[in-house]
Amino acid sequence: MKPISIVVCIKPVPDSRHWEKITLDPETGLLRREGIPIIISPLDRNALEEALRIKENRDGKVTVISMGPPNTVEILTSALAMGADAAVLLTDRTFAAADTLATAYALASGIRKLGEYDLVLLGNESLDGSTGQVGPQVAEFLGIPHVTHVNKVNFIDEDTLQVKSRIELGYMMIEVKIPVALAVEKEINEPRIPSLLGVVQAKEKPMSTWSANDIGVDKARIGLPGSPTQVAKVFAIEVKRRGEVLTGEPVEVTRKLIEKLRAERVLPKVC
Amino acid sequence: MPFELTPEEEMVRKVVREFTEKEIIPHRRELRAENWDFVMQLAKKQAAAGFHLNLIPRQKGGTGLGQIARSITMEEICAGWPLIYPLLGTEFAWCFVNATGGEVEKKWMPGIVKGSIFASPMITESSGGSDVLGFTTAARKDGNSWVINGRKCFIHHAHISDFGMVLAKTGDPNDPATKGVKALSAFIVEKDMPGFRLVRGENTLSEKAQTSELVFDNVRVPENYLVGEVGRGIAPVFTAVGDIGRLGITAMLNGCILGSYQCSVKFAKERVLYGKPISTLQAIQWRIADILIDLETSRALAYRAGWLRNKGIRCDAEQAVAKYFATQAAHRCALHAINIHGAYGVLEEYMPQVYYRFAPPMIGAGGTDEILKQIMARAALEGADPVIGSKAAESGL
């Protein structure tokens, strides 16, 4: 089989082990993330793992691309340590405050600048935003088909993939030609932990940093100006819990409990 | 010295911590049961992750990340479960073949880089590990071979080792021609060589049958299995004991301190007494602070000694200080952890007692407190400058 070119989009997200330290700025309504380490969004890590496995089965190249502030280099280096061949960071103040559409537009522009590609892989949704929109949007900007909720990928010939996609109450088996974008789920694989040899090899691999000018984007379509959706307000949910003790004979207590659960719509009206 | 870890060293900690969270912590039951098959499977995974490659230069297939990265690696692993892992044997193997070169290096190096070869220093005898002139194991030249006779004891991981480096007398310490340590030479002995056998495994406070007594009964080794030159056996032994042994054990003990810190903080926040977490009690806070003081201090000493070795500066005294402090601090911190946990601290399902049992057996490995103090005192009395690193032991112990 001919070598394959795979691009993996990865997103920097706050490490969930430190989420307790994230606070809300009451004045700006923005999340305070200072001092919280960043990690590769977990499903993007699954996407990278799948890309590496495909490359191991048929020769090729894996390039990771991310949009974010300069410290995003950390997660790109981790991706290189896992085995990616090259990394690209899209960083520019004008990219800031982008919604999913502006993000996907910038990522697609970066991918287009990379040249020819056969596969674009990304996580089905991110750990923080969880919209699940960026994958399909990147594919639309690139003008290629996409499959979401991907659990399994198999090449049935050089250019055709059989893809298992999760749907409500089951799965769809889809055949699709490359180039294609696939948004993967957790079940697709178990991402590898980088080796220490990978750690030292990472600094020897190419890492490019591109600004908005470098990828030739329309400035009106990136960052805050290019974002049709904007967050009006962020607020913490106040959880009010109260306990209630049901007393009486077991049969009577059970009946009361079922009535209450039905009233709260935890159970359907008719069992 | 710079107090900032390099980006690679930072990443080593992240990588090894993730490995520990995935491959060690969920399997503590197997480690508690001393399931050796599990340990060897774990060794294969650690080898695949390259945890044994820190000291091997890049051009020889290693990572060349150095002693600080190695210290971090062992610290994180041992915080998950303190154990002398087989990867230490691979590091010894590298140290021995590096000192020997030639056919020995050619034969073993590919396996060492893969992490599938283990070796042990075979030095200590019943008279002790430091009284090298009191050793009775001897080697005599016979044609193109050397013939070794004698016994060794407390040899760690000899039962899994593919080969060892044996220190033996090749001269008379009282003869002016081979005076003192010039009477000693080092040899590579392979596990299948006729006349070499393990006679019994020894049980310790923290593990069963991981150290062995060895017999050398007319073991014939080829001439090129001599490490370095005749009468120069003490130098590779010092390198192995200092760089691999002493700094490795220090890192493992720092893992115990880190583990004591982690489990104590977690338990103190979760354990509720008198209606509030015990972390709100000042008595508990002080114990946690004491552990942190030891963690910061012990790490700083270990990393400094590692930094000196990375620069190629001999630092016997600094290594001795680091190991001396870590041995005592690991014991002290495990005791703090037991106190914080109360009765839970000595239950086998809880970690404090594991850390507590690991520390004392490390006293003898790489030198007792008294031997370490002797090294420090000698450095001081010979005028070593503690700012740039000591050169105390250049004259030999």
Side-chain angles (χ1 to χ4, degrees):
Chain A
M1 283 205 246
K2 69 177 181 191
I4 190 159
S5 175
I6 308 173
V7 180
V8 183
C9 304
I10 63 174
K11 181 181 183 186
V13 295
D15 188 342
S16 55
R17 282 177 292 195
H18 299 268
W19 276 7
E20 63 189 39
K21 294 178 199 157
I22 297 177
T23 55
L24 202 59
D25 187 323
E27 287 186 10
T28 62
L30 296 173
L31 293 177
R32 287 195 191 115
R33 296 179 178 189
E34 295 82 28
I36 314 286
I38 55 166
I39 56 169
I40 302 173
S41 186
L43 294 186
D44 293 345
R45 207 168 159 187
N46 290 92
L48 176 56
E49 175 63 33
E50 198 60 25
L52 296 174
R53 289 183 188 194
I54 292 169
K55 191 189 91 165
E56 283 158 6
N57 282 331
R58 56 180 289 190
D59 198 21
K61 182 180 179 184
V62 174
T63 305
V64 283
I65 185 167
S66 187
M67 187 184 89
N71 71 340
T72 307
V73 163
E74 283 176 35
I75 64 153
L76 288 167
T77 308
S78 295
L80 293 173
M82 275 179 75
D85 301 291
V88 175
L89 171 61
L90 306 179
T91 189
D92 197 310
R93 295 190 81 81
T94 56
F95 289 139
D99 69 357
T100 59
L101 193 71
T103 301
Y105 171 65
L107 285 172
S109 305
I111 293 169
R112 211 175 275 122
K113 183 180 161 76
L114 279 169
E116 283 192 21
Y117 55 87
D118 301 303
L119 273 177
V120 176
L121 292 178
L122 18 62
N124 201 70
E125 69 269 339
S126 62
L127 183 68
D128 52 358
S130 296
T131 63
Q133 295 169 358
V134 172
Q137 287 171 344
V138 166
E140 287 302 312
F141 280 120
L142 292 173
I144 59 174
H146 71 267
V147 186
T148 59
H149 301 280
V150 173
N151 277 261
K152 202 171 180 182
V153 177
N154 247 338
F155 272 94
I156 50 178
D157 64 40
E158 195 166 86
D159 300 318
T160 315
L161 281 164
Q162 191 178 60
V163 179
K164 185 180 174 189
S165 165
R166 187 174 57 80
I167 53 171
E168 205 173 3
L169 304 175
Y171 293 93
M172 270 195 305
M173 296 302 288
I174 299 166
E175 280 187 19
V176 61
K177 294 272 184 198
I178 58 172
V180 60
L182 305 175
V184 309
E185 293 195 325
K186 185 174 185 281
E187 291 72 22
I188 193 166
N189 55 41
E190 177 72 30
R192 69 193 67 187
I193 299 170
S195 72
L196 299 196
L197 207 52
V199 169
V200 292
Q201 285 165 344
K203 68 175 178 184
E204 295 158 6
K205 293 176 179 174
M207 167 103 67
S208 310
T209 302
W210 292 343
S211 66
N213 286 337
D214 291 330
I215 55 174
V217 287
D218 175 353
K219 295 271 175 73
R221 297 174 69 189
I222 57 169
L224 194 62
S227 300
T229 54
Q230 288 176 16
V231 179
K233 190 182 176 189
V234 179
F235 55 93
I237 300 169
E238 210 174 312
V239 181
K240 288 181 182 169
R241 288 183 180 160
R242 72 187 162 88
E244 187 180 348
V245 178
L246 303 178
T247 55
E249 291 299 312
V251 173
E252 186 192 350
V253 169
T254 307
R255 191 172 293 123
K256 280 184 195 169
L257 178 64
I258 290 171
E259 280 168 13
K260 281 181 178 294
L261 291 175
R262 280 186 178 148
E264 295 290 335
R265 295 184 185 175
V266 176
L267 290 178
K269 287 281 180 195
V270 181
C271 283
Chain B
M1 66 178 285
F3 280 94
E4 197 175 40
L5 296 175
T6 64
E8 288 77 28
E9 288 161 350
E10 294 275 11
M11 203 188 287
V12 166
R13 189 180 295 283
K14 278 186 202 164
V15 165
V16 183
R17 185 166 287 190
E18 187 179 350
F19 179 94
T20 302
E21 286 170 354
K22 187 178 163 192
E23 302 289 352
I24 295 181
I25 292 173
H27 304 287
R28 280 174 171 166
R29 187 189 295 261
E30 302 294 340
L31 291 158
R32 190 182 307 125
E34 297 190 42
N35 178 344
W36 197 244
D37 288 339
F38 175 79
V39 173
M40 293 312 287
Q41 285 301 317
L42 193 57
K44 281 187 184 167
K45 290 178 182 175
Q46 289 173 338
F51 290 175
H52 61 297
L53 296 173
N54 287 310
L55 299 183
I56 302 176
R58 285 285 277 139
Q59 64 271 23
K60 298 224 173 190
T63 63
L65 283 164
Q67 285 284 8
I68 297 176
R70 173 180 182 243
S71 195
I72 291 168
T73 303
M74 289 194 166
E75 191 184 302
E76 289 294 333
I77 294 172
C78 287
W81 188 272
L83 182 75
I84 299 180
Y85 289 92
L87 75 93
L88 186 75
T90 310
E91 292 179 327
F92 272 124
W94 150 249
C95 181
F96 301 158
V97 303
N98 186 43
T100 313
E103 287 301 313
V104 170
E105 183 175 3
K106 205 178 285 177
K107 177 177 178 179
W108 293 110
M109 205 53 204
I112 291 170
V113 171
K114 276 188 207 153
S116 58
I117 296 297
F118 311 109
S120 306
M122 297 173 177
I123 300 163
T124 303
E125 299 194 6
S126 55
S127 59
S130 302
D131 178 14
V132 290
L133 297 181
F135 286 177
T136 57
T137 300
R140 65 180 163 79
K141 191 81 189 287
D142 183 27
N144 293 331
S145 313
W146 287 88
V147 178
I148 303 172
N149 279 287
R151 294 176 88 93
K152 298 283 178 182
C153 59
F154 302 125
I155 307 305
H156 209 274
H157 281 179
H159 64 300
I160 59 163
S161 285
D162 297 278
F163 62 92
M165 185 174 75
V166 180
L167 190 63
K169 273 185 180 160
T170 49
D172 179 355
N174 297 315
D175 182 343
T178 55
K179 198 170 165 37
V181 294
K182 287 182 184 164
L184 297 164
S185 302
F187 300 90
I188 299 295
V189 171
E190 294 172 353
K191 66 176 180 182
D192 297 327
M193 286 179 166
F196 170 65
R197 63 182 193 275
L198 278 66
V199 287
R200 75 186 183 103
E202 296 145 340
N203 297 334
T204 70
L205 180 63
S206 62
E207 54 190 16
K208 288 190 177 64
Q210 297 303 307
T211 63
S212 304
E213 190 173 338
L214 313 176
V215 167
F216 302 84
D217 181 7
N218 283 312
V219 178
R220 187 173 286 275
V221 301
E223 206 170 23
N224 59 358
Y225 276 41
L226 173 74
V227 183
E229 296 171 24
V230 178
R232 299 259 180 181
I234 204 71
V237 166
F238 273 176
T239 304
V241 170
D243 286 357
I244 309 295
R246 225 164 259 158
L247 283 181
I249 290 160
T250 303
M252 293 175 206
L253 291 163
N254 285 347
C256 283
I257 302 172
L258 175 62
S260 295
Y261 175 77
Q262 289 169 334
C263 72
S264 295
V265 169
K266 185 169 185 286
F267 186 86
K269 285 161 94 171
E270 290 173 0
R271 174 72 165 158
V272 174
L273 283 178
Y274 312 110
K276 56 187 178 182
I278 61 169
S279 60
T280 59
L281 304 172
Q282 196 177 46
I284 300 296
Q285 291 173 0
W286 283 16
R287 285 195 185 275
I288 289 172
D290 283 339
I291 298 174
L292 184 59
I293 292 166
D294 274 338
L295 178 62
E296 292 277 4
T297 311
S298 201
R299 264 181 179 169
L301 292 171
Y303 294 174
R304 173 169 151 75
W307 179 80
L308 287 164
R309 291 307 293 133
N310 285 351
K311 297 251 171 219
I313 299 170
R314 191 162 174 176
C315 60
D316 308 69
E318 285 79 358
Q319 286 178 346
V321 172
K323 199 239 159 181
Y324 174 87
F325 189 88
T327 309
Q328 304 204 348
H331 192 253
R332 199 159 52 224
C333 291
L335 199 56
H336 280 310
I338 289 174
N339 271 289
I340 290 167
H341 283 69
Y344 289 102
V346 291
L347 285 183
E348 68 171 11
E349 293 84 356
Y350 284 74
M351 287 304 289
Q353 53 85 25
V354 182
Y355 300 126
Y356 189 75
R357 284 187 296 117
F358 183 79
M362 293 301 106
I363 291 173
T368 58
D369 288 358
E370 284 65 34
I371 288 294
L372 297 173
K373 279 185 171 174
Q374 199 183 340
I375 295 168
M376 298 174 214
R378 186 167 296 175
L381 296 170
E382 288 183 1
D385 184 345
V387 175
I388 59 165
S390 77
K391 296 182 178 176
E394 276 178 352
S395 55
L397 247 181

